[in-house]
Amino acid sequence: MTRHAALAARYGTPLYVYDLDEVALARHELFTALPDGAELFYAFKANPHPELARALREGGERGCRAEISSTGELAAALTAGYRAEECLYTGPGKTIGELHEAIGRGVRVFSTDSVTDVRRVGAVAAAHGVVADCLLRINSADASATTSIRMTGTPSQFGFDSETLAEAMPSLRRADGVRLAGMHLFPLSNARDEDALIGEFEHTIELAARLSAALELPLRLLDIGGGFTAPYGVPGRRGSYPNLRDRLETALDRHLPGWRSGAPRIAFESGRFLVGAAGTLVTEVSNVKISRGRRYVIVDAGINTFGGMSGLGRLMPVAVALELEPDGPTERGTLVGPLCTPGDLLGREIALPADLEPGDLVEIPNTGAYGVTASLLMFLGRPAPLEVLLRSGEVVSASRIEHHRSHQPVPYARTVVEAGALG
């Protein structure tokens, strides 16, 4: 009997179950590891479900702000109770249309990646009779950490190259409708160990201070990114950062001594650390077959349900592992989904319960981040999985993303299956 068998019987499969108590615990752990007074942005790309985002906003001074990169994520943030002025709008390809919508709805802080980007934000802000704050995203020429997903130190669509920023400053200062308000650096994702993460943050702080002084660049807000680790589709726990606070405070005191009084404000951002461990994907076995001596377990959740960003070149390939009973018999096999493609693969030759048969349930842990909205959701026209949220073991809401074809452009809708706190 799996942990969520009753929910699967009630709602069907495939089914995502999110534990809001786990979300609150992750938020508490991360704020505790960061310097006092630091701000924390939740990266909506990890999971834009409004109830998850709402749980992260709660907590008073230790509530998250929103990092968004589309008008769809802005809509989700507003639904979750975030104010538009709390949002940081990022992304290298902001269009005139989406800027009009974002600024018209009250967004005032943007991370910008080029002179054109700054000018475009300014032109739209001026058209609305307001001034927008621009953080300059910096692509550092070098880096500290050598592991994890690199986001800096190479040619990129993200950010101003640090070595040529001085050449761009005259144009940036002349841009109408904007105020240069600080910097945004995001050098890596999913750092493999605390020392690597700290080293990257220390390098980032030193670089920001040096650029600010050399270029006379105002530094009201400094967002130094994230990189906090959490497992993805496999058993395990979030990263632990016992030394992070002290080391960061030392670096900030050395390079930006006014930070304790808010000059500058220091911000971090996180997605998977905050919501990854809160999610479990429950899927039902459709068939078990042997092909030329190999065992295949076919389930009703495939890469259309848990795709590992498969629509984005599978930057985070699916390679799941299950939490198994300590003394239960196991047998290796390949876990696959129901789609008509050999690419619908969740785990190749992994340990699986030996007695699995059609109708049994399989639970994939740590699937709260990069799940539904990072998958090939519309591939083969299968319905989206249901998403159920729990607090203290009780159902808060149950909903499913629905797609509609229309002659007029419409965003995706979320159909509420069971009323609850969902706004």
Side-chain angles (χ1 to χ4, degrees):
M1 199 68 162
T2 61
R3 186 163 52 119
H4 298 302
L7 290 173
R10 180 175 175 181
Y11 295 109
T13 59
L15 174 69
Y16 276 94
V17 181
Y18 303 128
D19 185 343
L20 295 176
D21 297 322
E22 187 65 32
V23 173
L25 179 59
R27 183 194 65 200
H28 171 75
E29 288 177 4
L30 190 49
F31 266 110
T32 299
L34 296 177
D36 282 335
E39 300 175 19
L40 180 60
F41 287 93
Y42 171 55
F44 267 63
K45 66 178 70 68
N47 190 328
H49 195 297
E51 280 301 315
L52 286 175
R54 191 193 309 275
L56 288 165
R57 185 176 182 270
E58 297 167 351
E61 292 183 0
R62 290 198 158 190
C64 294
R65 298 176 66 183
E67 185 265 303
I68 58 175
S69 56
S70 70
T71 53
E73 289 183 348
L74 172 59
L78 296 177
T79 299
Y82 290 78
R83 300 188 308 275
E85 59 267 27
E86 293 181 306
C87 298
L88 170 63
Y89 203 114
T90 69
K94 309 173 195 71
T95 67
I96 293 292
E98 69 184 271
L99 286 172
H100 273 293
E101 182 172 347
I103 291 172
R105 300 184 78 170
V107 177
R108 293 293 181 268
V109 185
F110 295 85
S111 172
T112 52
D113 297 84
S114 65
V115 172
T116 299
D117 200 15
V118 172
R119 287 173 173 166
R120 184 172 291 163
V121 170
V124 175
H128 284 261
V130 299
V131 174
D133 281 342
C134 285
L135 305 183
L136 305 184
R137 180 161 177 171
I138 306 301
N139 179 8
S140 175
D142 53 10
S144 171
T146 57
T147 60
S148 76
I149 300 174
R150 297 288 336 151
M151 299 289 287
T152 192
T154 61
S156 173
Q157 70 268 44
F158 299 110
F160 294 83
D161 294 340
S162 58
E163 66 274 24
T164 61
L165 182 58
E167 301 170 17
M169 288 304 299
S171 295
L172 295 173
R173 289 194 174 98
R174 288 195 299 268
D176 294 327
V178 299
R179 178 176 68 164
L180 302 183
M183 281 182 262
H184 177 200
L185 298 96
F186 199 109
L188 80 169
S189 178
N190 201 31
R192 297 304 184 188
D193 59 73
E194 185 183 29
D195 284 340
L197 182 64
I198 291 173
E200 199 66 63
F201 280 146
E202 289 173 335
H203 170 76
T204 295
I205 291 166
E206 186 276 331
L207 173 64
R210 177 160 42 88
L211 288 175
S212 177
L215 303 178
E216 298 182 347
L217 176 60
L219 199 57
R220 299 179 181 88
L221 174 62
L222 173 61
D223 180 345
I224 62 175
F228 310 104
T229 189
Y232 180 66
V234 297
R237 286 286 300 162
R238 293 180 291 270
S240 177
Y241 304 103
N243 303 306
L244 182 61
R245 174 197 290 261
D246 288 344
R247 293 272 299 275
L248 282 179
E249 288 182 348
T250 298
L252 289 166
D253 285 339
R254 179 184 306 120
H255 298 292
L256 297 168
W259 75 275
R260 291 183 185 270
S261 58
R265 292 157 42 215
I266 303 298
F268 299 83
E269 54 194 87
S270 178
R272 72 160 78 189
F273 183 96
L274 291 170
V275 298
T280 302
L281 174 57
V282 185
T283 179
E284 183 176 302
V285 176
S286 302
N287 195 11
V288 179
K289 62 169 290 188
I290 304 297
S291 175
R292 295 193 169 97
R294 291 190 176 181
R295 180 182 182 225
Y296 287 84
V297 175
I298 304 167
V299 295
D300 61 4
I303 58 173
N304 61 315
T305 301
F306 185 63
M309 300 180 78
S310 52
L312 302 176
R314 298 190 75 166
L315 299 178
M316 299 162 59
V318 174
V320 306
L322 308 185
E323 292 177 345
L324 302 171
E325 294 292 334
D327 301 320
T330 64
E331 183 179 338
R332 300 196 77 77
T334 297
L335 191 68
V336 300
L339 305 183
C340 295
T341 169
D344 192 16
L345 177 68
L346 297 180
R348 189 188 303 275
E349 291 296 309
I350 62 174
L352 296 167
D355 56 353
L356 279 178
E357 57 185 38
D360 288 344
L361 298 177
V362 171
E363 295 194 354
I364 302 173
N366 291 312
T367 54
Y370 301 109
V372 177
T373 54
S375 303
L376 293 176
L377 194 54
M378 290 191 69
F379 188 47
L380 291 184
R382 289 180 174 266
L386 204 74
E387 296 172 275
V388 171
L389 294 104
L390 307 179
R391 180 178 278 117
S392 301
E394 298 295 324
V395 173
V396 172
S397 71
S399 63
R400 171 183 282 119
I401 293 172
E402 301 282 359
H403 288 269
H404 303 278
R405 188 180 299 279
S406 172
H407 293 294
Q408 298 296 324
V410 294
Y412 73 75
R414 185 177 292 278
T415 298
V416 179
V417 176
E418 183 167 302
L422 187 64

